[in-house]
Amino acid sequence: MKKDLVLGGLVLLSLWLISGIQAVKRFQDVRFHGKQSNDQGHHSQIRGWSPDRNTWDEQLYPAWKAGDARWENCWRGGKVEALLTSDSPALIGSNITFAVTLRFPRCQKENDDGDIIYDRKCRNDSFSYQDQYVYNWTKWVDDCNEGNCTFLNKFPDGRPFPHHPDWRRRNFVYIFQTLGQYYALSGRSSAVLSINTTNITAGTQMMEVSVYRRDHRRHYPVAKASAMYIVTEQIPLYVNISQKNDRNSSDKIFIKDSPITFDVKLHDPSHYLAKAAVSFNWTFGDGSGSFVSNNPLSSHTYTLLGNFSLNLTVKAAIPGPCKPVTPTTFIPTTYTSSTTTAPVTSNSTGNSTDLPFTETAFVTTEGSNVTTAPTTETTTHIQTTPAAGCFIDRYGYYKANIRIVDGILEVNIVEMTNVSPSEAQNAFIDFVVACQGSIPTDACTIISDSTCTIPQNEVCDEVVTTDECLVTLRRAFTGPGTYCVNITLGDDASLALASTLVSVSEGIGTPAPVKEILIYLGILAVIAVALGALLYK
């Protein structure tokens, strides 16, 4: 009987302990989206971060799941949105930066003191503000003794807030979580956090952030947000391809016999590659071989028509710490003479080390029967400290398919002729335009003021197909003055431009001005009066 009572007591005690352990909430239990699959397994420690197995103080920081009705009333006057962004993708070893911005309900904003107030500039006539403040933290924080509010100033894991000169204005708490770890900080209506990716596994990861507003006795959740970010072993890059007279660069159709410019942009917002030696190796797919340069800007001219495949390999040699290299002992072999070698070693960490020449030392052991057995020698490479630095090599790749076609290479205005009839109201000028390359299918003229900034007239016409690229365009000008004339000739793939200034003189193709007519009539009137006086006498 006594034995049964003891056994029953132990069972009850075990259940009580288990229930107590289960009642403890941890950071991993308050994830908005639950535990992520990429959190499974071992992840290296992110510097300055803590494991999400740490306990969470739910009395001070209530944790609500998605769909909880309490989210509807967690903020006065509406809902707060948290916008989480990052400068992903990030190359392993570089820093990635996350930014959180709080978007308050309409007519609410943060003032210079960090309080949330009503913006009276956007008030409605049907709405009156009973109070200037949505949340007046300054008022109740003043009751604390210079910020020594121990019941308020701590994070969910019990760590105290770090002391900042502007601690009174930091009325929001941000808890970031990723890869089974968390980081907490206090701030205003926005927060920025950067982490180093050296110990983060390459791939797509998720970052979550929980935002709490400070209050008298506890802090209340106001918003949650999440965003995917990418850590990669390849250098993130994009290539901007452009060409003079190309009509549409996005269609990957370019013109033969005209240089194409390739501008490589490396995505490196944390300047991780600032001290790296970067090279660009191009192959353009037209049999011209490879082109290697340390300039991200290059050009190439295709002299053949057809489809071509571009390939770019970017290599970055990033200065890094040198790790010790383990001496290599070879299996005993038979030698007849000694040699000198200059090995280059590499290791699994990605470091490459250029080593100076090292002497090969031989330890010779005579065999017992020297008349029948050759001399056996054990060779050991004794490596010295590298003379050059150590580097981490990273690569980036780009591929594209382009099409090369005939196009208009150049346009020139070779002749301008005034063809205005004497009775015409406008001045007419014929422009003779010559071009090189393919025959254009359309021509457009834009007539602007003398500064070429204010368009006054635009005319477009189809060009009659001929055997040579010579086009005559007749354009009208409404009055005397100086005009900027832009003429473009185009086809399906290209668009070429030529510009000139035209001066239209007064009286060419226009009737006499009114002022001159009035002067002429006035002279006739004076003559008539004089003749009348003479006749009268």
Side-chain angles (χ1 to χ4, degrees):
M1 182 68 178
K2 185 180 295 185
K3 184 177 180 181
D4 293 339
L5 290 174
V6 172
L7 183 59
L10 291 174
V11 172
L12 290 175
L13 179 62
S14 300
L15 292 175
W16 179 79
L17 290 174
I18 292 173
S19 63
I21 293 173
Q22 292 176 345
V24 174
K25 184 156 289 188
R26 305 182 185 279
F27 277 78
Q28 62 188 8
D29 300 325
V30 300
R31 294 282 295 266
F32 198 59
H33 295 285
K35 192 174 181 65
Q36 301 299 314
S37 59
N38 57 4
D39 288 347
Q40 304 290 340
H42 173 73
H43 289 282
S44 299
Q45 181 72 28
I46 303 175
R47 184 176 180 181
W49 287 54
S50 304
D52 63 4
R53 298 183 301 274
N54 290 354
T55 58
W56 173 285
D57 188 348
E58 193 172 16
Q59 294 299 319
L60 187 57
Y61 289 84
W64 304 335
K65 295 294 184 182
D68 194 309
R70 288 174 290 184
W71 283 106
E72 299 297 326
N73 301 311
C74 66
W75 187 269
R76 297 172 190 166
K79 291 184 178 181
V80 177
E81 294 182 6
L83 305 178
L84 176 61
T85 59
S86 74
D87 55 10
S88 165
L91 180 64
I92 285 183
S94 67
N95 291 343
I96 183 170
T97 299
F98 298 88
V100 187
T101 304
L102 299 183
R103 180 181 295 173
F104 300 111
R106 184 177 179 272
C107 297
Q108 295 183 14
K109 66 177 184 178
E110 183 184 42
N111 66 7
D112 293 338
D113 294 327
D115 299 319
I116 308 302
I117 62 174
Y118 291 104
D119 186 0
R120 298 183 180 276
K121 294 182 180 179
C122 71
R123 63 181 297 178
N124 297 323
D125 294 337
S126 59
F127 181 78
S128 61
Y129 300 107
Q130 298 178 353
D131 187 7
Q132 176 186 359
Y133 292 92
V134 183
Y135 290 99
N136 187 358
W137 287 293
T138 303
K139 181 178 180 181
W140 60 265
V141 168
D142 286 338
D143 298 334
C144 299
N145 181 18
E146 294 298 326
N148 295 324
C149 301
T150 56
F151 60 92
L152 287 173
N153 293 349
K154 62 180 181 179
F155 293 113
D157 57 3
R159 293 185 300 107
F161 290 168
H163 183 73
H164 296 279
D166 62 340
W167 64 269
R168 290 174 177 269
R169 300 181 179 89
R170 293 173 174 258
N171 295 309
F172 293 96
V173 178
Y174 299 84
I175 295 99
F176 294 86
Q177 292 182 269
T178 188
L179 301 176
Q181 301 170 60
Y182 70 90
Y183 187 90
L185 58 86
S186 60
R188 299 187 61 173
S189 58
S190 62
V192 177
L193 176 68
S194 294
I195 61 175
N196 186 267
T197 60
T198 299
N199 294 330
I200 297 180
T201 305
T204 302
Q205 315 292 355
M206 175 176 284
M207 176 68 75
E208 290 190 20
V209 62
S210 302
V211 186
Y212 284 75
R213 63 171 173 86
R214 298 176 64 189
D215 210 299
H216 292 76
R217 298 295 177 183
R218 61 173 58 184
H219 307 308
Y220 290 94
V222 295
K224 284 181 176 283
S226 62
M228 309 300 292
Y229 65 97
I230 299 174
V231 178
T232 175
E233 293 179 332
Q234 295 185 6
I235 302 172
L237 60 90
Y238 68 94
V239 180
N240 181 30
I241 307 177
S242 60
Q243 184 185 43
K244 180 183 177 181
N245 299 342
D246 180 40
R247 192 155 198 162
N248 181 11
S249 60
S250 62
D251 62 4
K252 299 293 173 55
I253 299 176
F254 298 96
I255 307 168
K256 182 174 76 73
D257 296 327
S258 178
I260 303 175
T261 300
F262 302 91
D263 190 4
V264 184
K265 302 293 186 181
L266 304 183
H267 181 71
D268 184 32
S270 67
H271 307 292
Y272 177 61
L273 302 177
K275 296 182 179 180
V278 182
S279 62
F280 304 85
N281 189 339
W282 282 99
T283 55
F284 298 101
D286 58 350
S288 59
S290 62
F291 174 74
V292 182
S293 170
N294 58 1
N295 191 339
L297 192 65
S298 60
S299 65
H300 184 72
T301 301
Y302 285 87
T303 58
L304 301 174
L305 301 176
N307 298 318
F308 301 93
S309 295
L310 299 172
N311 286 277
L312 168 66
T313 300
V314 179
K315 177 182 177 181
I318 308 166
C322 295
K323 297 186 178 181
V325 181
T326 305
T328 304
T329 301
F330 290 91
I331 299 174
T333 54
T334 300
Y335 289 93
T336 58
S337 63
S338 62
T339 59
T340 301
T341 61
V344 176
T345 65
S346 62
N347 54 47
S348 60
T349 62
N351 287 352
S352 62
T353 307
D354 292 333
L355 297 178
F357 284 97
T358 56
E359 295 296 332
T360 303
F362 298 105
V363 181
T364 305
T365 303
E366 295 287 345
S368 57
N369 188 347
V370 296
T371 58
T372 58
T375 301
T376 302
E377 301 173 339
T378 303
T379 304
T380 304
H381 285 283
I382 303 175
Q383 296 172 334
T384 61
T385 303
C390 296
F391 300 89
I392 301 172
D393 293 334
R394 298 295 185 193
Y395 296 88
Y397 304 95
Y398 173 80
K399 294 182 179 181
N401 295 318
I402 64 173
R403 183 183 176 189
I404 303 300
V405 298
D406 285 320
I408 303 170
L409 300 177
E410 188 177 353
V411 171
N412 294 292
I413 301 173
V414 296
E415 185 179 346
M416 293 184 293
T417 305
N418 178 28
V419 293
S420 305
S422 58
E423 70 278 4
Q425 296 295 320
N426 298 327
F428 291 90
I429 297 179
D430 280 354
F431 296 88
V432 179
V433 185
C435 61
Q436 297 179 10
S438 62
I439 305 300
T441 58
D442 55 79
C444 289
T445 304
I446 299 177
I447 300 175
S448 307
D449 67 331
S450 59
T451 63
C452 299
T453 57
I454 304 175
Q456 298 179 358
N457 187 25
E458 181 177 359
V459 179
C460 292
D461 301 309
E462 292 185 0
V463 175
V464 179
T465 303
T466 60
D467 294 335
E468 60 178 350
C469 187
L470 197 66
V471 181
T472 300
L473 304 173
R474 177 167 296 181
R475 296 296 180 250
F477 297 85
T478 57
T482 301
Y483 298 89
C484 174
V485 180
N486 291 321
I487 298 176
T488 57
L489 302 183
D491 58 12
D492 292 340
S494 57
L495 189 68
L497 169 69
S499 300
T500 188
L501 287 175
V502 175
S503 180
V504 179
S505 302
E506 188 174 355
I508 297 179
T510 60
V514 175
K515 180 179 179 181
E516 293 181 7
I517 295 175
L518 292 177
I519 293 174
Y520 178 71
L521 292 176
I523 293 173
L524 290 179
V526 170
I527 294 174
V529 170
L531 290 175
L534 290 174
L535 291 175
Y536 177 75
K537 291 180 178 180

